[in-house]
Amino acid sequence: MEGGNNYFKEKLIFTSEKSSEQVPLFNLHKFLIKLFRFNSNVESQLVILTPLTLLSEETLSYLKEGPLLELENCRRIGIRISSETIIKQIPLNELQPHSRILRSKLKKSGFPATHPLEGSMGYLINLDKLLAGNEGRR
Amino acid sequence: MNNDEILKQIESNDKVEKDIEVKEELFYRYLVFWIGEQKFALPAEEVHEILTYNEIYFVPFVPPYIRGYANRHGQPYTVFDLQMLFENSGIEGSHLLILKVPNDQIALLISDVDEIVKVPDSKIYSLTSQDETSQYFSGAVNVEETEIFVLGVSKILERLESDIERS
Amino acid sequence: MKRKKSSVGLITSLSIWTTLPVILVLLIMGGTTLWVLGNRVNMLVEDNAAHTMRMMERIVKTEVDGAVKNYLRAAAEKNRDLMSFFYQEAQKGEISEDAAYERIREILLDPEYGQVGSTSYLAGVTTEGILEIHPVSPGVDASDFEFMQKAMEMKNGYLEYEWKNVGEEEARLKAGYLSYFEPWDIMVWASSYKSEFYSLIDQRSLDDQVSTIRIDETGYVVIRNSEGKIIAGDDTLKILNKVPADRAAHAVVDSKIGQVRIDTKIQEETGWQVSVVSPLSPYNRLLWMLRIIIGLSIVVSAVLLHFVIRYLLNRTLAPLKSMRGLAERVSQGDLTGRIHNLSEDEIGEVGVIFNHILTEFSGVLGNNKSVIQVLSESIQNLSTSAQEIASTSNEQAAAVKEILSTMEDADQVSKDNMEKIEEVAKIANNTKENVEQGFELIKTSLSKMEEIRTTNSETIVGIKTLGERITSIWEIVNIINSIADQTKIIAFNAELEAAAAGDAGKNFQIVAGEIRRLADSTVNSTNEIKGKINEIQHASDKLIVASEEGTRRITEGWDISTNIRGIFEEVLNSSEISAHSADEISRSTKMQVSSFEQIFTTLKQISESIDSFVESTNYTNQVSDHLTEITESFGKEIDGYTVEEEKEE
């Protein structure tokens, strides 16, 4: 699935006296709902803003050819995430690598590790890889 | 009977047990279990543990016969649904077989455990043909006149590797 | 309606099938005639043309020969006369005979004067065949030649012969005229190649002859010379140039008067082309007219024949038509029709028979109808009187029955009264104590009922509690079961560990095996328990249903008893009646009853006899009904047919 364009349907526009900035939004919330086949209609109310400089060359060039194509003066990208978000410190020893046989595939797709807890399974996301839509590329 | 005879009887009983003990060494243990309506077997050495149903967590980008992860002792285990692999229809599954696969965490989703049997060498067969259906079996055992296929775990893992590589 | 079509169709098809062979024959005849005629016409025209051609050839030859002969004759005789003149002179003594001979010889041999035609010359030949006077070969003996021998014989006259000069390939026709002068025995010979004289022909004379020739009024003849120029006749239709050279012998071409036939022959001698133009159009027209006439006559005769036959067939088959119509009417029930206008032939006979059949049948039906009429009426009468009797008897019976029942009621009432009064008297004679006794009994049974009810509800409550207890046992059993399952798994795991531990784990293995067996037996036991509990559950369910049913009955019984109690209370209240009045009523009632009994018995007898009478009239009714049915149905069938007598009504 071409993760990129389907989920880049919105953008924020900031205007000020001096300039206007267009920030494309990636709907990670919808993306994850679709990917994990959750049965949920809940919309996301939360957006994280990230400067483009934090993205890798590869991802940037991919985005510039796609969703970022006609955007002028674009310094940041927005990520829509679930409203039920918490910020937490996790010690590294709580993170586990994926089962070896699945490891490379999941890493390439942007899920480098798991966070298994009593009664739940967490997935670590590498946003850079995810945005690049590597999982859909052959 | 007099005392001597009684004593001899007792001693011979002990011998019989010893003989049986010797014979036992030529037997092999197999775990027999159900996946759906079908019985399968695995050598007991290949199974680490049997767990009663754990929750299975969905994993994306994997083939449909990988139901997801089970969380065992804080580690993610890849769960195989073999009925999905063989017949394209999944089972409800209430138990997990935790397999002893070196350097990885692999589990099998099964319907129920049947028993652990001791099978003599004579009743263990290896496969004569390798067709579509039997590519995942390493052989068969004869238990009470029924033939039960023995799963070949390495072959199943190979299948998963090639599917992942292609995707 | 279908039938009508078939009779018309029959006539049409018959007339068509009879006409067809005739037409066929006519066509064959007509065709043959036309073909033969056509051929004959062709032959006629051909013959005509050939005849004309022969005639033309003769004319040409005559003309040609005539012209040549005349010319040569003139030349020969003229010179013979000249020879004679000179001989005369010699005889007169003017000159010597030799000189005279010499003079004429010079003249004859003169190259200019002596020229005959363009290449030949005069000559003098003796009767011995010697060329006495000859410019080329004088003195030569030509008597060997055949023509010379002929000439020697003829001495005078015209002859033709073939002559080939030395060095020439072919012989050519020569013509010559001889004129004999006896005194000197010289035949003056004027000859030349015949072809040189063709131009001498009097073209005008030839033309006159040729122009007058007419073939069938518009045909003509034309003669052209070897160069194609017309020398006689006139190509009025201007068609000669239409005929290509290779078809010169005979061709058919179109012209302004229609088709014409051109026969051309090349005259051997002169090389002239004689063309005979014969018109074909009159013959063509004739042939076409004939074709049309024959065709028309065939068509007309076919149509005429067809209609004549049709008419004849119609007339012949008319009686069949009317017979068919009549038959249809009969099938629909109308027997009044008859066939009229019967012919004297077989068809007429059939008609006669048909009429006869209808008459007979009508007669039979007519008889039947009148019989049925009579029968029907009698049955009707019978039925009516039977019904009247029946109804009268019924009324009587009913009346009697009413009296009876009233009497019965009265009787019964009296009896009842009597009994009741007696009873009441008895009861009244006994005292209130009896009633009270009964009342006590009721009260006792009612309270027993109450107890039963109470016990019953308690039982039901107990059963329900049992049900709840069973459910909780169920839950416990399930818990035990799940523990057993888990234990089994634990045992399996223990065995696995033991297997992995190898020898060291052997004892542990045994223990694990035992635990598993224990778990298995636990599971088995719990299954047994489950089974038993199921049974108990079923039994208790049934019990609840039965008890509820029982409860219902008990409630009903309770209600009834309560009612009885109420009634009895009333009875108790009104049981105070004097014995005396009860006795009196009792006595008079007895008397009433006995007199009733007598009347009653008599009435019963009457009723019985009426009943049996009614029965028999009912039976008669049934029979006559049945007869009526039969008669009606028969009548209906017959009614379907109309017969002459009915028309009078």
Side-chain angles (χ1 to χ4, degrees):
Chain A
M1 103 187 137
E2 288 282 316
N5 290 335
N6 285 344
Y7 297 91
F8 270 103
K9 288 198 174 136
E10 303 165 295
K11 55 184 186 241
L12 293 176
I13 303 178
F14 296 110
T15 40
S16 68
E17 294 167 355
K18 295 185 197 162
S19 58
S20 77
E21 187 197 347
Q22 300 193 352
V23 180
L25 291 191
F26 176 68
N27 197 333
L28 181 63
H29 179 69
K30 271 228 170 80
F31 176 81
L32 290 175
I33 287 177
K34 185 93 190 287
L35 181 63
F36 281 81
R37 292 153 206 199
F38 296 132
N39 207 357
S40 163
N41 290 329
V42 176
E43 293 286 332
S44 130
Q45 308 288 350
L46 197 56
V47 172
I48 313 175
L49 297 173
T50 310
L52 285 178
T53 48
L54 289 182
L55 297 175
S56 67
E57 284 294 325
E58 199 196 334
T59 307
L60 259 182
S61 63
Y62 171 75
L63 289 179
K64 283 226 165 87
E65 285 163 33
L68 263 50
L69 190 55
E70 288 154 25
L71 296 177
E72 28 170 87
N73 199 5
C74 174
R75 292 183 293 119
R76 296 181 286 179
I77 188 171
I79 316 287
R80 268 208 187 273
I81 54 176
S82 160
S83 314
E84 295 179 42
T85 296
I86 55 171
I87 299 180
K88 196 172 143 182
Q89 266 191 328
I90 302 176
L92 267 183
N93 58 12
E94 274 184 28
L95 294 177
Q96 291 288 332
H98 285 286
S99 170
R100 195 184 53 79
I101 200 168
L102 305 177
R103 209 169 286 171
S104 64
K105 172 72 181 174
L106 289 169
K107 215 170 172 179
K108 240 184 9 175
S109 310
F111 291 86
T114 64
H115 186 220
L117 291 176
E118 186 74 39
S120 73
M121 178 67 68
Y123 292 93
L124 184 64
I125 293 177
N126 181 341
L127 201 57
D128 190 52
K129 278 249 155 57
L130 203 72
L131 285 177
N134 278 329
E135 80 290 342
R137 297 251 190 102
R138 303 228 170 254
Chain B
M1 276 198 279
N2 61 13
N3 289 348
D4 289 335
E5 283 169 352
I6 292 169
L7 279 175
K8 267 209 190 120
Q9 182 77 14
I10 295 168
E11 271 171 56
S12 68
N13 284 351
D14 193 35
K15 234 198 249 158
V16 165
E17 272 194 41
K18 281 216 181 87
D19 288 338
I20 291 170
E21 279 176 26
V22 166
K23 278 193 197 141
E24 271 182 47
E25 286 172 26
L26 299 174
F27 279 65
Y28 296 92
R29 275 207 170 72
Y30 283 83
L31 175 69
V32 179
F33 51 91
W34 300 88
I35 298 182
E37 308 286 313
Q38 267 286 93
K39 270 200 213 179
F40 295 97
L42 275 173
E45 313 82 70
E46 290 187 27
V47 182
H48 197 17
E49 193 182 348
I50 306 167
L51 293 181
T52 315
Y53 191 73
N54 262 1
E55 189 152 336
I56 299 181
Y57 305 100
F58 178 84
V59 173
F61 307 125
V62 294
Y65 52 83
I66 304 298
R67 296 286 285 267
Y69 279 146
N71 182 354
R72 176 177 178 265
H73 303 325
Q75 279 202 306
Y77 275 71
T78 303
V79 178
F80 278 81
D81 177 346
L82 290 181
Q83 185 166 281
M84 187 68 97
L85 176 63
F86 297 154
E87 292 172 34
N88 265 321
S89 87
I91 55 167
E92 292 282 310
S94 53
H95 300 276
L96 285 173
L97 293 186
I98 306 295
L99 302 183
K100 285 187 193 166
V101 174
N103 308 323
D104 206 346
Q105 297 78 46
I106 308 291
L108 285 186
L109 186 64
I110 63 172
S111 306
D112 202 0
V113 183
D114 192 42
E115 51 177 342
I116 297 180
V117 286
K118 294 186 213 151
V119 184
D121 203 24
S122 54
K123 295 219 163 132
I124 301 174
Y125 313 108
S126 45
L127 288 181
T128 44
S129 65
Q130 278 292 330
D131 56 24
E132 259 247 353
T133 45
S134 54
Q135 59 181 303
Y136 302 112
F137 306 137
S138 67
V141 287
N142 187 322
V143 175
E144 285 165 19
E145 310 309 315
T146 346
E147 203 178 63
I148 303 175
F149 286 116
V150 179
L151 296 174
V153 174
S154 46
K155 293 182 196 173
I156 294 169
L157 292 180
E158 273 170 31
R159 167 72 194 264
L160 177 58
E161 270 180 27
S162 76
D163 282 350
I164 284 183
E165 226 166 297
R166 273 191 284 137
S167 70
Chain C
M1 293 306 111
K2 267 191 197 170
R3 294 190 220 138
K4 268 203 176 132
K5 259 194 194 163
S6 71
S7 78
V8 166
L10 175 69
I11 288 175
T12 308
S13 66
L14 273 178
S15 40
I16 288 176
W17 282 109
T18 42
T19 316
L20 268 172
V22 174
I23 295 174
L24 206 63
V25 166
L26 284 175
L27 275 170
I28 292 173
M29 276 174 45
T32 321
T33 310
L34 281 172
W35 182 73
V36 166
L37 246 124
N39 273 0
R40 285 238 63 104
V41 163
N42 272 341
M43 273 171 54
L44 183 73
V45 173
E46 247 185 75
D47 286 346
N48 227 8
H51 174 75
T52 311
M53 185 65 78
R54 280 195 297 277
M55 195 175 75
M56 287 317 305
E57 285 187 322
R58 275 201 300 275
I59 292 175
V60 166
K61 188 164 173 47
T62 313
E63 281 292 321
V64 165
D65 287 351
V68 169
K69 196 158 118 184
N70 283 343
Y71 178 83
L72 289 174
R73 180 177 180 170
E77 285 187 355
K78 183 179 82 178
N79 288 302
R80 194 206 71 129
D81 286 344
L82 200 60
M83 193 178 277
S84 171
F85 169 74
F86 279 108
Y87 182 74
Q88 297 291 347
E89 290 289 294
Q91 292 303 99
K92 273 196 238 173
E94 298 286 325
I95 48 172
S96 67
E97 203 170 314
D98 286 337
Y101 189 76
E102 197 52 45
R103 281 300 304 281
I104 189 70
R105 192 194 161 98
E106 269 177 34
I107 290 167
L108 289 180
L109 288 178
D110 181 52
E112 265 187 61
Y113 178 79
Q115 194 177 34
V116 178
S118 42
T119 55
S120 299
Y121 33 77
L122 291 169
V125 181
T126 69
T127 47
E128 301 289 310
I130 313 275
L131 305 177
E132 277 282 339
I133 306 171
H134 199 278
V136 172
S137 10
V140 167
D141 182 357
S143 57
D144 286 335
F145 290 102
E146 207 184 300
F147 71 85
M148 189 53 76
Q149 284 166 9
K150 202 163 166 203
M152 282 152 57
E153 225 185 280
M154 274 170 55
K155 295 183 183 150
N156 276 308
Y158 176 79
L159 74 122
E160 290 180 1
Y161 56 95
E162 303 270 334
W163 179 254
K164 189 166 99 157
N165 273 335
V166 173
E168 283 176 358
E169 276 189 20
E170 284 187 12
R172 287 184 287 162
L173 194 63
K174 271 191 127 169
Y177 206 91
L178 301 161
S179 188
Y180 184 55
F181 187 64
E182 203 188 337
W184 279 340
D185 187 33
I186 293 284
M187 295 183 288
V188 179
W189 187 299
S191 77
S192 185
Y193 287 104
K194 204 166 173 192
S195 56
E196 291 168 13
F197 297 110
Y198 292 154
S199 49
L200 294 176
I201 290 174
D202 187 355
Q203 284 198 359
R204 252 210 326 254
S205 151
L206 188 63
D207 188 40
D208 282 342
Q209 288 185 64
V210 171
S211 319
T212 54
I213 297 177
R214 282 280 170 274
I215 304 170
D216 293 325
E217 289 170 36
T218 46
Y220 53 85
V221 178
V222 173
I223 303 180
R224 292 175 287 176
N225 64 11
S226 46
E227 276 120 44
K229 181 159 166 256
I230 294 180
I231 51 176
D234 187 18
D235 185 11
T236 41
L237 296 177
K238 309 268 181 276
I239 47 165
L240 285 176
N241 49 351
K242 284 193 195 175
V243 181
D246 58 337
R247 286 174 62 208
H250 138 73
V252 174
V253 302
D254 286 319
S255 75
K256 57 186 178 200
I257 59 162
Q259 272 197 339
V260 296
R261 182 196 167 104
I262 307 177
D263 294 277
T264 307
K265 203 158 176 202
I266 297 181
Q267 262 269 312
E268 264 187 62
E269 218 190 287
T270 55
W272 291 349
Q273 298 173 45
V274 178
S275 303
V276 176
V277 176
S278 332
L280 292 175
S281 30
Y283 299 104
N284 285 348
R285 271 199 294 273
L286 180 70
L287 279 173
W288 266 111
M289 266 173 52
L290 274 173
R291 282 194 196 111
I292 289 168
I293 289 171
I294 289 178
L296 266 175
S297 2
I298 291 176
V299 168
V300 166
S301 33
V303 170
L304 249 147
L305 189 64
H306 176 83
F307 279 110
V308 163
I309 289 178
R310 252 184 112 98
Y311 170 71
L312 286 172
L313 282 175
N314 256 329
R315 273 199 51 179
T316 322
L317 297 179
L320 272 183
K321 261 196 195 163
S322 57
M323 260 190 265
R324 207 220 56 240
L326 203 66
E328 210 176 320
R329 278 165 64 188
V330 170
S331 75
Q332 284 170 4
D334 180 2
L335 295 176
T336 52
R338 294 289 180 277
I339 303 176
H340 310 290
N341 299 330
L342 293 167
S343 49
E344 295 284 320
D345 53 21
E346 295 91 327
I347 294 179
E349 274 180 41
V350 172
V352 166
I353 295 169
F354 199 65
N355 283 344
H356 188 63
I357 292 173
L358 282 177
T359 314
E360 287 287 319
F361 191 43
S362 300
V364 167
L365 277 181
N367 284 342
N368 279 346
K369 278 199 184 196
S370 48
V371 164
I372 283 171
Q373 193 77 331
V374 168
L375 193 63
S376 192
E377 281 173 21
S378 337
I379 291 174
Q380 198 60 25
N381 289 337
L382 181 65
S383 176
T384 319
S385 38
Q387 273 178 357
E388 280 176 20
I389 297 171
S391 66
T392 321
S393 341
N394 273 336
E395 283 173 28
Q396 288 175 351
V400 168
K401 279 206 165 73
E402 264 190 57
I403 298 169
L404 254 181
S405 71
T406 320
M407 301 228 51
E408 271 177 359
D409 287 345
D411 187 43
Q412 194 57 41
V413 165
S414 323
K415 280 203 179 125
D416 284 347
N417 281 343
M418 203 172 73
E419 285 170 18
K420 270 194 191 152
I421 298 298
E422 280 182 12
E423 266 192 54
V424 167
K426 259 197 233 157
I427 292 166
N429 283 333
N430 287 330
T431 51
K432 215 165 146 193
E433 290 158 17
N434 288 337
V435 174
E436 278 179 346
Q437 261 183 37
F439 198 50
E440 283 305 313
L441 276 166
I442 296 276
K443 280 212 298 200
T444 322
S445 54
L446 273 183
S447 65
K448 286 240 162 58
M449 276 271 195
E450 180 84 47
E451 280 171 41
I452 292 169
R453 242 180 50 155
T454 320
T455 322
N456 188 55
S457 334
E458 283 168 12
T459 313
I460 288 177
V461 166
I463 289 169
K464 288 205 168 133
T465 318
L466 175 66
E468 283 158 25
R469 296 267 160 77
I470 289 169
T471 313
S472 46
I473 295 175
W474 210 223
E475 285 165 11
I476 294 167
V477 166
N478 281 337
I479 292 169
I480 296 173
N481 226 6
S482 77
I483 292 173
D485 278 339
Q486 286 177 33
T487 315
K488 201 167 78 164
I489 300 296
I490 294 171
F492 273 126
N493 283 326
E495 270 205 61
L496 288 171
E497 284 294 340
D503 271 346
K506 228 190 337 167
N507 291 329
F508 190 56
Q509 218 177 71
I510 295 168
V511 172
E514 291 301 317
I515 296 176
R516 188 155 58 85
R517 270 185 274 282
L518 175 66
D520 279 340
S521 75
T522 312
V523 169
N524 286 340
S525 312
T526 50
N527 280 339
E528 277 184 49
I529 297 173
K530 277 188 191 172
K532 289 280 179 299
I533 293 175
N534 252 334
E535 285 177 35
I536 296 171
Q537 187 135 58
H538 282 143
S540 85
D541 284 343
K542 275 196 207 154
L543 194 58
I544 290 179
V545 168
S547 334
E548 282 176 352
E549 179 65 25
T551 310
R552 198 172 56 79
R553 297 256 169 82
I554 290 167
T555 316
E556 275 177 29
W558 172 248
D559 290 340
I560 293 169
S561 310
T562 325
N563 283 339
I564 294 174
R565 185 203 203 156
I567 293 168
F568 226 95
E569 278 181 350
E570 284 179 36
V571 169
L572 183 65
N573 292 338
S574 51
S575 68
E576 290 164 346
I577 298 173
S578 76
H580 177 67
S581 27
D583 275 335
E584 277 209 29
I585 296 170
S586 176
R587 235 183 301 125
S588 57
T589 317
K590 273 194 185 131
M591 278 166 54
Q592 200 181 16
V593 166
S594 70
S595 47
F596 261 172
E597 290 281 353
Q598 284 175 25
I599 302 171
F600 198 60
T601 319
T602 322
L603 277 177
K604 258 197 178 166
Q605 283 172 9
I606 298 173
S607 174
E608 273 161 28
S609 53
I610 289 178
D611 276 342
S612 64
F613 186 56
V614 167
E615 259 186 54
S616 56
T617 51
N618 272 342
Y619 184 64
T620 315
N621 241 1
Q622 278 179 30
V623 167
S624 63
D625 275 345
H626 197 57
L627 278 172
T628 312
E629 269 177 42
I630 295 171
T631 320
E632 272 179 12
S633 73
F634 189 45
K636 268 196 204 134
E637 278 193 42
I638 291 184
D639 275 340
Y641 297 94
T642 11
V643 157
E644 274 180 19
E645 292 135 24
E646 312 224 336
K647 280 194 175 171
E648 290 167 15
E649 283 177 43

